[in-house]
Amino acid sequence: MDLFDHNRQAQIDREAPLAARMRPRTLDEFVGQDAVVGPGRLLRRAIQADQLSSLIFFGPPGTGKTTLAQIIANTTSAHFIAVNAVLAGVKDLREGIAQAQDLRGRYGRRTILFVDEVHRFNKAQQDALLPWVENGTVILIGATTENPYFEVNKALVSRSRLFQLQSLGPEELRRVVHQALTDPERGYGNRPIHLEPDALEHLVNVANGDARALLNALELAVETTPPDNAGNITIPLAVAEESIQRRAVLYDKEGDAHFDTISAFIKSVRGSDPDAALYWLARMVYAGEDPRFILRRLIILASEDVGLADPQAVAVVTSCADAFDRIGMPEGRYPLAQATLYLATAPKSNSTMGFFEALATVEREREAAVPNPLRDANRDKADLGHGQGYLYPHAYRDHWVAQQYLPNGLQGQVFYQPSSQGYEAALQTQVAQRREAQLAALVDGSSGLPDVLTYSPDDPARDRWLQRTLSQAGVQLGQVRDRLFDLAPPQRHHRILDLHARTGLLTWEALRRVPEGQVYARVHNAQDYEALAEQAAALPELHRPALVHADYEALSAYLAAHSPDLAFERIVGRNAFGQAVNRERFVDILRQWLAPGGVVLLVETIPRHSQRISSLVDASSLSKALVKRWQQAEENALASSDDPRFNWQADTLETLFHQARFTVQLSTNRLHTGIYLSEALLQRWFAVDHHPPSYRDQIAPHLSEKDLAAIQTLCQRQLTAQTIDWQSTLVYLKASLTA
C-alpha cells in the first residue's frame, strides 16, 4: 500500500458510518453473544488459541457475524481472505484458493476464507468450495442470515461447526450506545452529547436487537441535532422517534423467520393460548404475511388439532376465510382474528391422526383381500357369493349391528382414538362399547383362532447372558448419571463444573452435552487426576476438560486466578457433598461459581440409609441377644454424630441450600445393586484399625471381641463368593438461586 492508498483508506475510515467505525476489534470489545464467545466458551478458546476449524455463523442482522470474522482476522496468524457472496464469483474463489495453496506449499501457512452472505452463493459456487474445505486448503468462515440447513450445501454444513447468534438484549444494546458515546476516537466521546433516558429506551426498544440499526439511528439523531448556545447536543424523545420511526421486523417470507413465526402461531393455537396466538398473528400481519396463507393453515388446524372435539370449527374457519376474500384488508383482520380466537379457545383433539396410522399400516402390511360380506354384491352375488353374510345396520336397533369391517388380518386393530374433549367426549364411550361388542362377535363367530403360542429352541447365547454376574453396576451408574442430567438438561454452549470427577462418569457425559461450551472437572487425589488426564489426552486440545487437582477452597482460588469472569450454568456432582469438610462454606462456594439462571445438580448416597450387613445372613445360629446387639451396633454406627460420613441426611442438604437462598427440589431413590462378595472384600470389611474405618471398626465400640469373632465367622461362611442384592438410598438435588 503506497502513501496515496493509505490516505484514501484513512479518509474512508473517517467518513464511514458510525456502525462501521464502532465495529469491535477484539473479543473484549464485543458485546453480547455470551453463549457463543463468553468466557470459557469453545469459540472464544479457539479464537484465543488460534485453532479454528471451519465455522458458519447464522442469525439476524446486526448481531455480530461479520464482526466476529474481523476479530478473527485481527487475532489469527493465518492468512485471511474476505469475500462477499453477493459480489464474488467462482473466479474470485479460484484466485483465493490458488493463493492459499501457494502459502501452504511454500510456508505451511493456513488460510481462512471468510464468505459473507454465504447463502447467496449458488450451488456451483458452493460446490467449488467443498474440496478445498475438505482437504484443509482453506478454513471456511461463513456468515448468513438464513438457516444454513436450508440454504447452504449440506456437505459444507456437515464439515463446519455452526454457531447461532441471537438478537441483542436491551442491556447489551445500552452498552453499544454507551461505547459509541464515550469512544473519542471512533465514536462521539469528544462531543458533548446528552441522550435523554426515554430517548435511549425508545432507540433500544425499536432497534429490536439489531446493533447496526441502533447505531444508524443514533448517528442520524446526533448529526441532525444542532448544538445549543453552550455547544451541547441534547437528544430528546421526539428526535429519537424521528430517527427510528418503525421497528425493524425480521421476516423473510421464504426464509427462517417465516417458518419459525408461523410455527409459533400454530403451536400457540394448538396449545389453547389465545393471547400468544394473537401476538404471533399480529407479528405476521405487521410484517406483511399473506393472510390467505394464515387462513389456509388455520383450516388445516381445524381438522388436525380440533377435529371432532368441535365439528363446527372447520365451518367457522372456512366462513372466516370466505369473509376475508369478500372484504380484503384492512377490515379482513377481523375475520382473521375471529378464526384464530375460535380455534385457540376450542376443545382440542387430534384423533384424525388415526388416518395416518391406517396409512402406515397399508404401506407396511401385505394388501389384504376385502372380506366377502363387504364386497359389492351387485355384479356377482349369484355366481361368487360376494356380499353374502353382510348385516344391514338400518335393519337393527339404533341402526347398528356388531360385525367386522376390517380385513381378517387386522381384526381388532384400533386407529381412531376419541378424545375426552368437547363433542368427541360423547363419542368416547359409544365407540369403546361398540368395539367391545365387535370383538365379542369375532370370538363367538370365528371358526377357530390361530395358535398364538410359540416355543423357541435353546439359545446358547441367551443362556450365557443369564449366567453372567448379576452385578449391573455400570448400567445402574449410567441410569443415575442420565437421571441427574435430565433434571436440568444443559444446552450445547453451557459451561459445566464437575465437583467430584473421580472416574469421569459425569465429566465425559458433560463433554458430550456441551460441545460448544466448556467442562471443568475437580479431582480429589493425584491418582484420579492422572487417570482422567490420560483419557483426556486422546481428545483434541480444545475439547478436553479442564482438570484441577484441588480441594474446594483451592479450586475457588484457581478459578479466580485463571478465569475471573467464568461462571457455570451447571454445577454437577456425585457424592461431592459428603467430601465437604465445611458444609456451609461448600454451599457458599457453589453460589459464587453459579451463573445467573444456573443450576446445581447433586446426587448423593446417604450412608445412614445404606444396606445393613446383618440382614444379609441367616443369623439363626447366633443367640437372639447377640443378633439384637449386632443390629443395635449397626444403628449406633450409622447414627453417629461424630462421623461426618454419617451425620447428615437429605433434609441436611435441603436446609443448607435453603439458608443460602436457593430454591431446592429433592427426590430420593432406592438403588438395588448386585455385588459379588469376594474373600478379599470380606477381609476388608473385618480389617482392624483400617483407614478409613472398616465395618468392624465401626461396630467394635458396641460389641465384645467374642461377639465380633462370631459375626465375622458367620459372614465369611455364608457370604464368601456370593452375589447379594445391595441396597442404598440416593438423594437427587436440584438447586437454583432464588430471584
Side-chain angles (χ1 to χ4, degrees):
M1 179 183 291
D2 58 25
L3 181 60
F4 296 104
D5 291 333
H6 183 272
N7 288 335
R8 187 181 305 111
Q9 185 61 46
Q11 183 178 3
I12 291 173
D13 291 341
R14 286 194 303 271
E15 297 176 354
L18 177 64
R21 300 199 308 269
M22 289 303 301
R23 193 183 294 277
R25 296 162 296 189
T26 66
L27 285 174
D28 292 333
E29 293 180 359
F30 192 83
V31 175
Q33 311 305 336
D34 179 74
V36 175
V37 291
R41 307 297 190 195
L42 173 68
L43 182 58
R44 188 185 191 97
R45 304 198 315 271
I47 293 173
Q48 292 172 337
D50 197 8
Q51 295 185 18
L52 291 169
S53 58
S54 290
L55 310 170
I56 294 179
F57 300 130
F58 76 101
T63 52
K65 301 182 293 297
T66 304
T67 297
L68 274 177
Q70 294 192 357
I71 289 174
I72 292 170
N74 295 338
T75 57
T76 183
S77 61
H79 180 57
F80 193 90
I81 302 174
V83 299
N84 190 299
V86 177
L87 305 174
V90 173
K91 179 184 176 183
D92 302 284
L93 292 180
R94 286 175 178 164
E95 291 176 355
I97 296 299
Q99 191 177 2
Q101 287 178 305
D102 183 58
L103 289 172
R104 189 182 187 188
R106 289 190 178 191
Y107 310 109
R109 190 179 179 190
R110 299 176 303 144
T111 296
I112 294 176
L113 175 63
F114 171 61
V115 182
D116 203 3
E117 305 292 340
V118 66
H119 65 278
R120 298 282 189 173
F121 271 160
N122 59 36
K123 187 177 185 302
Q125 291 168 314
Q126 293 186 30
D127 287 343
L129 272 176
L130 182 59
W132 309 111
V133 172
E134 194 166 28
N135 65 20
T137 300
V138 296
I139 296 171
L140 173 68
I141 299 180
T144 173
T145 56
E146 304 297 329
N147 191 326
Y149 287 108
F150 296 150
E151 303 295 338
V152 180
N153 186 312
K154 288 183 173 58
L156 279 179
V157 171
S158 68
R159 288 162 177 79
S160 307
R161 186 176 289 273
L162 271 59
F163 291 94
Q164 182 175 6
L165 277 62
Q166 305 289 341
S167 298
L168 300 185
E171 187 58 40
E172 293 163 339
L173 291 175
R174 294 186 193 100
R175 286 173 55 196
V176 170
V177 172
H178 177 74
Q179 286 182 352
L181 293 178
T182 56
D183 190 319
E185 178 185 349
R186 298 176 296 156
Y188 295 125
N190 56 358
R191 299 172 65 176
I193 297 172
H194 173 63
L195 180 62
E196 294 185 354
D198 52 355
L200 171 62
E201 292 308 309
H202 177 76
L203 293 176
V204 167
N205 178 46
V206 183
N208 204 29
D210 186 334
R212 186 185 297 111
L214 176 68
L215 290 174
N216 288 340
L218 177 64
E219 182 179 26
L220 180 61
V222 171
E223 300 299 340
T224 58
T225 302
D228 59 18
N229 294 334
N232 298 320
I233 297 174
T234 300
I235 301 174
L237 176 60
V239 173
E241 289 175 338
E242 292 177 358
S243 301
I244 185 168
Q245 295 180 357
R246 180 177 170 91
R247 182 188 301 276
V249 176
L250 175 64
Y251 201 87
D252 181 348
K253 293 184 183 179
E254 297 180 355
D256 229 20
H258 162 77
F259 291 106
D260 287 345
T261 309
I262 190 64
S263 174
F265 172 66
I266 292 299
K267 289 174 180 175
S268 299
V269 176
R270 180 185 296 134
S272 299
D273 187 333
D275 300 309
L278 287 178
Y279 170 77
W280 294 114
L281 175 65
R283 279 271 292 258
M284 290 187 289
V285 171
Y286 183 83
E289 180 61 83
D290 182 1
R292 290 175 178 83
F293 165 74
I294 301 173
L295 286 164
R296 285 197 299 272
R297 292 301 302 267
L298 288 175
I299 293 172
I300 295 169
L301 186 142
S303 291
E304 178 184 356
D305 295 298
V306 177
L308 290 181
D310 185 350
Q312 293 301 313
V314 172
V316 170
V317 178
T318 52
S319 295
C320 288
D322 290 341
F324 179 88
D325 285 337
R326 285 173 179 260
I327 62 178
M329 292 289 276
E331 290 84 355
R333 296 175 178 180
Y334 289 111
L336 186 60
Q338 180 183 353
T340 298
L341 288 173
Y342 187 93
L343 292 181
T345 56
K348 301 298 189 296
S349 169
N350 67 341
S351 58
T352 54
M353 298 299 291
F355 165 76
F356 297 97
E357 293 185 30
L359 189 61
T361 300
V362 171
E363 294 172 347
R364 183 175 60 250
E365 303 288 342
R366 186 179 65 185
E367 185 174 337
V370 177
N372 190 64
L374 302 183
R375 293 187 179 184
D376 180 18
N378 293 322
R379 295 170 299 163
D380 39 27
K381 179 177 181 180
D383 295 331
L384 300 177
H386 288 177
Q388 208 168 31
Y390 172 63
L391 305 177
Y392 187 57
H394 296 298
Y396 293 85
R397 183 183 175 184
D398 296 328
H399 300 264
W400 180 85
V401 62
Q403 64 180 330
Q404 275 294 328
Y405 296 96
L406 281 167
N408 292 333
L410 294 176
Q411 290 173 352
Q413 176 71 55
V414 173
F415 296 114
Y416 173 52
Q417 296 280 10
S419 74
S420 59
Q421 301 298 311
Y423 167 80
E424 203 169 28
L427 300 178
Q428 196 175 42
T429 302
Q430 180 192 72
V431 170
Q433 290 173 337
R434 289 184 173 178
R435 278 181 180 149
E436 293 164 3
Q438 285 177 317
L439 289 173
L442 167 68
V443 173
D444 292 341
S446 63
S447 58
L449 293 174
D451 185 8
V452 296
L453 297 177
T454 59
Y455 299 89
S456 59
D458 291 339
D459 184 349
R462 180 194 60 198
D463 293 341
R464 286 196 300 272
W465 182 86
L466 291 172
Q467 291 167 3
R468 289 186 310 176
T469 174
L470 294 177
S471 177
Q472 297 293 322
V475 174
Q476 290 174 326
L477 286 176
Q479 293 170 345
V480 170
R481 172 201 63 205
D482 295 342
R483 177 172 175 178
L484 183 70
F485 276 104
D486 289 345
L487 290 175
Q491 298 180 29
R492 293 171 61 88
H493 62 273
H494 277 177
R495 295 157 296 197
I496 298 181
L497 170 63
D498 183 355
L499 293 170
H500 185 29
R502 200 177 177 192
T503 62
L505 177 73
L506 302 183
T507 302
W508 306 128
E509 179 65 17
L511 282 175
R512 283 189 288 271
R513 295 198 181 215
V514 293
E516 278 84 47
Q518 188 174 23
V519 175
Y520 275 73
R522 170 199 163 268
V523 289
H524 185 61
N525 58 56
Q527 183 178 358
D528 292 340
Y529 179 88
E530 292 172 3
L532 289 176
E534 184 177 348
Q535 296 176 60
L539 298 171
E541 184 176 354
L542 281 174
H543 298 274
R544 296 173 189 168
L547 301 177
V548 184
H549 175 201
D551 59 22
Y552 294 122
E553 290 288 355
L555 175 60
S556 186
Y558 172 89
L559 293 174
H562 288 77
S563 302
D565 297 327
L566 186 66
F568 298 96
E569 284 79 14
R570 296 291 182 271
I571 298 178
V572 300
R574 173 173 167 259
N575 292 335
F577 177 78
Q579 279 197 334
V581 177
N582 185 332
R583 290 168 181 163
E584 290 80 3
R585 175 59 180 157
F586 169 79
V587 178
D588 287 339
I589 289 175
L590 297 191
R591 183 182 176 87
Q592 295 172 15
W593 294 338
L594 203 60
V599 179
V600 177
L601 300 173
L602 300 180
V603 55
E604 301 285 331
T605 303
I606 305 179
R608 182 176 291 191
H609 299 159
S610 63
Q611 178 70 51
R612 275 40 171 182
I613 292 177
S614 61
S615 66
L616 297 176
V617 297
D618 177 5
S620 57
S621 60
L622 303 179
S623 68
K624 291 183 179 180
L626 174 53
V627 172
K628 186 175 182 179
R629 289 197 300 274
W630 182 10
Q631 293 172 343
Q632 188 60 49
E634 287 182 322
E635 297 304 320
N636 292 339
L638 293 175
S640 171
S641 59
D642 300 327
D643 193 329
R645 292 176 301 167
F646 303 119
N647 63 358
W648 65 276
Q649 298 189 69
D651 57 359
T652 310
L653 270 174
E654 186 173 21
T655 300
L656 287 171
F657 276 86
H658 273 312
Q659 289 173 349
R661 299 191 302 279
F662 280 88
T663 299
V664 180
Q665 296 178 22
L666 284 183
S667 60
T668 57
N669 180 43
R670 192 69 172 168
L671 188 66
H672 294 258
T673 307
I675 295 181
Y676 178 75
L677 300 180
S678 65
E679 185 176 351
L681 176 58
L682 284 163
Q683 288 176 350
R684 288 199 298 274
W685 280 5
F686 289 95
V688 179
D689 296 331
H690 191 269
H691 182 75
S694 67
Y695 172 70
R696 183 189 189 280
D697 293 336
Q698 293 170 37
I699 63 173
H702 311 284
L703 296 168
S704 67
E705 287 296 326
K706 182 179 179 182
D707 290 343
L708 292 169
I711 291 170
Q712 180 175 353
T713 300
L714 177 66
C715 289
Q716 289 176 331
R717 184 173 69 247
Q718 291 191 14
L719 299 179
T720 301
Q722 299 296 314
T723 298
I724 54 94
D725 177 32
W726 187 271
Q727 300 181 37
S728 54
T729 298
L730 302 181
V731 58
Y732 292 85
L733 174 138
K734 175 183 176 182
S736 53
L737 290 175
T738 304

